[in-house]
């Protein structure tokens, strides 16, 4: 995933573009560049490395002009080098393009363009767009862009400038998010709202097929048939403070510590204690449609997939519906029979993950009703689903997903409660779940107080090369999630495994070097997990246990005990995950890793 920005107005574009790129750097950060137009010419400055490297170069040698485009990259085609950084230009340097997405037929287009005399300077798919636009007939830039895009297969969110048409930016969207920021006599382009919030709250989310034209005093949007469209102007609901580091050293720690508030925000206005159910206005599911649901399929990736595994336990228990949880990418590789009564849940923090989006589209095409469990308002998955639940957890900037995970579990519980109460779940049980949900924010606050102990554990084990995370039942997905957190920000190898499965092979790994993290809240499988701990201890393994506060019989069985408050067993993952998030964070910090921009990763993977 990459970040694109654009500006046209009366102010100098350079600083505005740089600030926007900084806000989008979590989307990709291996190289960055801007093009700034000044009259009938534009200048390009682009460098490998972070946005700061570009900012330092521009501080030494600024680019003057009141319109421009910019890009921060997560490389897909071509190494992360200065040459491959965006913006890309055509042969004559008269067209500049920044692009988020993948041009799938780039090779064929490049070959045809080269045969007609175009000369390429990079290995990227994006450069093909610049030459296509150069070659396209048309009297205006928007006409040429539309003609060029008609030949493209793939996904794009692009912003284009032409030296022949000063103070104009043409924007197009197909499969990669792009929005317009509507200011006072100035207009912005961005991949997401965080890049424009400092200037305006008013945004227009473009639809697939839209082409927008921005000039210094107006903008308009055309659909794929070049008909001018009136697109709704939305207001960004959160404040700048939500995307500022504040007193925290990293966004990941800020977002871990925000979870009492973000879970409260996910619950806000949705718990009906008297009726022992949830109010979910965006489901667009009638009582009749609800009665017709015979099974649920969850499609997701990464952390969201782990939340889906937790959700399966919760929905099966409360709503008595069978649930299958699929890796979104794998779901699409099977020709599953369409089963009437299937409700598909697409879980995605960003709402832009290509694998999940395509899996949701496949489910829809097979006749399933689809709901999005999404954090980013206006994202593609949210817009294409039949209904859904917004997490309202605020922007998640840290590449490692944390607050979204707990809010996803809470949202899935609300859905399970709503479904369950229409399918025989008792009033008393519904009221109990509602009360337990309401207590979660204060329980999370208590779990966060474990941080000093967790930091000590991290310091004790920072040199280990591999960790095993074990859990049973609803705690098994928490073990998977704890392992993923560790891998993606500390680069330590870790594996999540069902605790009982450990003795069917992985136990061979246990030795005095292998820390084993057990997710062991006091629930109905607790005693069995104790046996697994003994199996590890008997082989010299180091045991770190996440368990429930209060009396426990772990005695000398464990080397480190991290105790979280008691809650309903189904909700324990919201609490047991907290020390594991902190453990991954502190291990990464001790190891000097770039916590918010881990190598090779990007916040949302908008390529398949
Ligand atoms: C989680 O920490 C990772 N960054 C990654 O696995 C992420 O959960 C996955 O890419 C799915 O993203 P989404 O929730 O935005 O769809």
């Amino acid at each position: 995933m990459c970040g694109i920005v654009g500006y046209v107005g009366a102010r100098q574009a350079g600083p505005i573009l740089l600030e926007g790129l900084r806000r989008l750097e979590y989307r990709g950060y291996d190289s960055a560049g801007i093009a700034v137009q000044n009259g009938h010419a534009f200048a390009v400055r682009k460098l490998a490395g972070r946005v700061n490297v570009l900012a330092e170069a521009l501080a030494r040698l600024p680019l003057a002009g009141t319109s421009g485009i910019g890009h921060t990259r997560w490389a897909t085609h071509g190494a992360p080098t200065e040459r491959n950084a965006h913006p890309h230009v055509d042969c004559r340097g008269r067209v500049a393009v920044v692009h988020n997405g993948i041009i799938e037929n780039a090779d064929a287009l490049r070959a045809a363009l080269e045969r007609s005399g175009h000369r390429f300077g990079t290995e990227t798919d994006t450069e093909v767009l610049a030459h296509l636009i150069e070659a396209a007939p048309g009297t205006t830039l928007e006409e040429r862009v539309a003609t060029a895009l008609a030949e493209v297969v793939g996904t794009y969110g692009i912003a284009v400038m032409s030296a022949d048409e000063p103070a104009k930016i043409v924007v197009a969207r197909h499969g990669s998010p792009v929005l317009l920021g509507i200011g006072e006599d100035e207009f912005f382009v961005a991949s997401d709202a965080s890049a424009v919030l400092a200037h305006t709250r008013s945004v227009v989310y473009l639809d697939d097929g839209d082409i927008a034209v921005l000039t210094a005093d107006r903008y308009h949007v055309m659909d794929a048939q070049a008909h001018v469209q009136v697109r709704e102007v939305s207001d960004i609901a959160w404040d700048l403070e939500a995307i500022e580091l504040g007193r925290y050293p990293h966004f990941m720690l800020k977002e871990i510590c925000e979870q009492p508030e973000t879970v409260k925000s996910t619950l806000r206005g949705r718990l009906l204690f008297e009726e022992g159910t949830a109010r979910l206005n965006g489901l667009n599911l009638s009582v009749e449609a609800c009665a017709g649901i015979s099974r649920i399929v969850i499609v997701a990736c990464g952390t969201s997939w782990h939340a889906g595994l937790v959700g399966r336990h919760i929905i099966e228990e409360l709503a008595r519906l069978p649930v299958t949880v699929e890796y979104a990418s794998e779901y699409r590789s099977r020709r599953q029979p369409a089963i009437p009564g299937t409700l598909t849940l697409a879980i995605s923090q960003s709402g832009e993950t290509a694998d999940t989006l395509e899996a949701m589209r496949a489910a829809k095409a097979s006749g399933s009703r689809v709901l999005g469990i999404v954090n980013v308002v206006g994202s593609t998955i949210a817009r294409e689903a039949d209904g859904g639940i917004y997490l309202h957890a605020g922007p998640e900037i840290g590449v490692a997903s944390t607050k979204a995970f707990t809010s996803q579990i809470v949202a899935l519980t609300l859905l399970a409660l709503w479904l369950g109460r229409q399918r025989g779940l008792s009033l008393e049980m519904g009221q109990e779940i509602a009360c337990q949900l309401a207590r979660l924010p204060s329980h999370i606050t208590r779990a966060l107080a474990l941080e000093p102990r967790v930091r000590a554990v991290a310091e004790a084990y920072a040199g280990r090369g591999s960790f095993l995370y074990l859990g049973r039942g609803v705690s098994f997905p928490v073990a998977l999630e704890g392992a993923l957190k560790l891998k993606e920000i500390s680069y330590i190898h870790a594996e999540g495994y069902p605790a009982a499965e450990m003795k069917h092979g992985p136990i061979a790994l246990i030795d005095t070097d292998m820390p084993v993290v057990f997710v062991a809240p006091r629930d109905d499988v607790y005693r069995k997990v104790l046996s697994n701990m003994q199996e590890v201890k008997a082989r010299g393994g180091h045991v770190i246990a996440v368990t429930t506060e209060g009396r426990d019989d772990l005695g000398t069985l464990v080397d480190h005990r991290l105790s979280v408050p008691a809650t309903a067993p189904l909700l324990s993952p919201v609490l047991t995950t907290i020390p594991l998030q902190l453990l991954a964070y502190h291990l990464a910090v001790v190891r000097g890793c770039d916590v918010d921009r881990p190598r090779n990763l990007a916040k949302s993977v908008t390529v398949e």
Side-chain angles (χ1 to χ4, degrees):
M1 176 173 85
C2 305
I4 71 171
V5 293
Y7 172 77
V8 58
R11 292 189 284 166
Q12 283 301 306
I16 295 171
L17 297 172
L18 272 177
E19 181 200 354
L21 290 180
R22 282 201 178 93
R23 299 287 188 191
L24 295 181
E25 202 168 18
Y26 70 96
R27 301 172 64 91
Y29 34 84
D30 60 45
S31 56
I34 65 172
V36 175
Q37 185 151 15
N38 197 357
H40 280 72
F42 58 70
V44 175
R45 189 77 49 77
K46 56 186 189 175
L47 292 167
R50 299 285 162 78
V51 172
N52 273 342
V53 173
L54 177 66
E56 285 158 11
L58 287 164
R60 288 192 299 274
L61 195 57
L63 296 181
T66 58
S67 62
I69 57 179
H71 184 276
T72 182
R73 185 171 182 237
W74 181 68
T76 55
H77 291 62
T81 61
E82 180 174 326
R83 194 164 68 100
N84 289 332
H86 302 209
H88 290 295
V89 299
D90 64 331
C91 300
R92 297 181 302 129
R94 305 289 296 169
V95 174
V97 181
V98 291
H99 167 226
N100 176 30
I102 284 206
I103 308 300
E104 292 171 11
N105 62 337
D107 292 344
L109 292 172
R110 176 191 282 250
L113 287 160
E114 285 174 332
R115 282 195 299 273
S116 62
H118 286 262
R119 296 175 313 285
F120 283 75
T122 79
E123 309 155 66
T124 67
D125 57 335
T126 302
E127 189 187 354
V128 167
L129 291 175
H131 293 280
L132 274 180
I133 296 165
E134 177 186 19
T139 53
T140 64
L141 181 58
E142 56 267 33
E143 284 173 0
R144 295 163 64 195
V145 168
T147 303
L149 293 177
E151 297 186 56
V152 165
V153 175
T155 58
Y156 52 79
I158 61 171
V160 187
M161 291 194 319
S162 165
D164 302 326
E165 297 187 59
K168 176 187 275 190
I169 297 175
V170 175
V171 184
R173 175 206 159 124
H174 181 78
S176 291
V178 179
L179 58 82
L180 309 180
I182 312 302
E184 296 292 327
D185 299 327
E186 57 183 10
F187 300 97
F188 305 82
V189 181
S191 298
D192 71 43
S194 56
V196 304
L197 182 60
H199 309 288
T200 178
R201 283 186 178 282
S202 303
V203 293
V204 172
Y205 296 101
L206 295 185
D207 289 337
D208 277 353
D210 282 353
I211 292 181
V213 181
L214 289 73
T215 58
D217 55 2
R218 69 172 63 88
Y219 77 96
H220 67 272
V221 178
M222 298 174 287
D223 63 16
Q225 288 69 42
H227 300 141
V228 175
Q229 297 293 318
V230 177
R231 289 279 180 262
E232 180 191 357
V233 178
S234 308
D235 284 334
I236 302 169
W238 33 270
D239 299 320
L240 259 183
E241 173 266 331
I243 55 175
E244 307 256 340
L245 257 181
R247 60 190 171 85
Y248 293 95
H250 300 103
F251 279 107
M252 182 180 178
L253 184 59
K254 178 184 180 215
E255 288 152 9
I256 290 170
C257 296
E258 277 179 338
Q259 290 178 102
E261 282 315 305
T262 51
V263 163
K264 205 177 286 181
S265 180
T266 305
L267 289 169
R268 189 165 293 119
R270 292 170 162 171
L271 283 178
L272 301 178
F273 295 98
E274 289 297 309
E275 300 86 336
T277 189
R279 176 196 291 121
L280 296 169
N281 295 328
L283 289 185
N284 297 335
L285 258 183
S286 66
V287 172
E288 298 70 31
C290 178
I293 297 168
S294 59
R295 69 171 196 145
I296 287 180
V297 175
I298 293 175
V299 293
C301 303
T303 289
S304 297
W305 184 76
H306 297 151
L309 292 175
V310 176
R312 172 169 61 185
H313 284 272
I314 297 170
I315 294 168
E316 289 185 342
E317 168 110 8
L318 300 185
R320 311 306 297 151
L321 276 166
V323 180
T324 57
V325 185
E326 305 268 2
Y327 278 117
S329 54
E330 288 302 306
Y331 172 84
R332 295 175 58 214
S333 64
R334 303 201 331 259
R335 290 177 49 75
Q336 304 183 59
I339 299 177
T342 298
L343 174 67
T344 300
L345 309 183
I347 305 176
S348 175
Q349 188 285 132
S350 63
E352 300 298 345
T353 299
D355 289 326
T356 308
L357 175 60
E358 292 306 324
M360 183 185 79
R361 287 170 174 167
K364 211 169 181 179
S366 72
S368 170
R369 195 177 191 80
V370 296
L371 298 182
I373 312 291
V374 175
N375 192 34
V376 177
V377 175
S379 57
T380 306
I381 288 173
R383 290 146 65 88
E384 293 195 11
D386 297 315
I389 304 173
Y390 275 127
L391 301 185
H392 299 312
E396 188 175 67
I397 308 296
V399 168
S401 190
T402 50
K403 64 178 182 175
F405 179 64
T406 48
S407 283
Q408 285 165 345
I409 293 169
V410 168
L412 289 163
T413 308
L414 290 167
L415 177 62
L417 184 56
W418 183 80
L419 288 169
R421 290 286 289 121
Q422 299 183 68
R423 302 173 56 88
L425 182 71
S426 71
L427 172 63
E428 294 69 26
M429 186 61 188
Q431 289 171 333
E432 173 59 19
I433 290 293
C435 289
Q436 291 287 359
L437 281 168
R439 292 192 192 111
L440 283 177
S442 60
H443 288 343
I444 294 171
T445 300
R446 289 224 318 260
L448 288 168
L450 286 167
E451 184 173 4
R453 294 170 66 94
V454 175
R455 192 187 301 119
V457 173
E459 285 157 3
Y461 292 103
R464 303 303 170 91
S466 188
F467 281 65
L468 197 56
Y469 287 70
L470 302 176
R472 276 182 190 246
V474 75
S475 295
F476 166 45
V478 181
L480 292 172
E481 173 60 11
L484 174 63
K485 288 281 93 59
L486 187 64
K487 280 182 279 198
E488 65 176 329
I489 62 166
S490 74
Y491 317 144
I492 297 172
H493 179 259
E495 192 170 1
Y497 229 84
E501 270 299 299
M502 188 263 297
K503 57 185 177 293
H504 298 285
I507 198 167
L509 294 171
I510 304 300
D511 60 21
T512 54
D513 287 334
M514 167 78 81
V516 181
V517 180
F518 278 92
V519 186
R522 241 196 326 284
D523 55 15
D524 57 357
V525 293
Y526 174 70
R527 308 232 48 90
K528 291 188 172 59
V529 176
L530 286 192
S531 308
N532 300 142
M533 285 185 199
Q534 278 149 357
E535 291 155 9
V536 169
K537 205 65 191 163
R539 290 159 178 81
H542 286 251
V543 175
I544 301 163
V546 177
T547 186
T548 308
E549 284 172 354
R551 179 193 56 75
D552 67 43
D553 30 16
L554 296 176
T556 58
L557 189 54
V558 301
D559 299 278
H560 302 275
R561 177 192 290 102
L562 302 169
S563 301
V564 299
T567 183
L570 284 174
L571 299 179
S572 64
V574 174
L575 302 178
T576 54
T577 198
I578 301 295
L580 303 189
Q581 294 171 342
L582 290 168
L583 180 61
Y585 171 78
H586 282 291
L587 275 164
V589 168
V590 170
R591 291 167 65 101
C593 298
D594 189 336
V595 171
D596 284 335
R597 297 181 191 80
R599 67 187 183 196
N600 309 338
L601 280 173
K603 182 55 187 171
S604 168
V605 183
T606 55
V607 294
E608 291 177 79

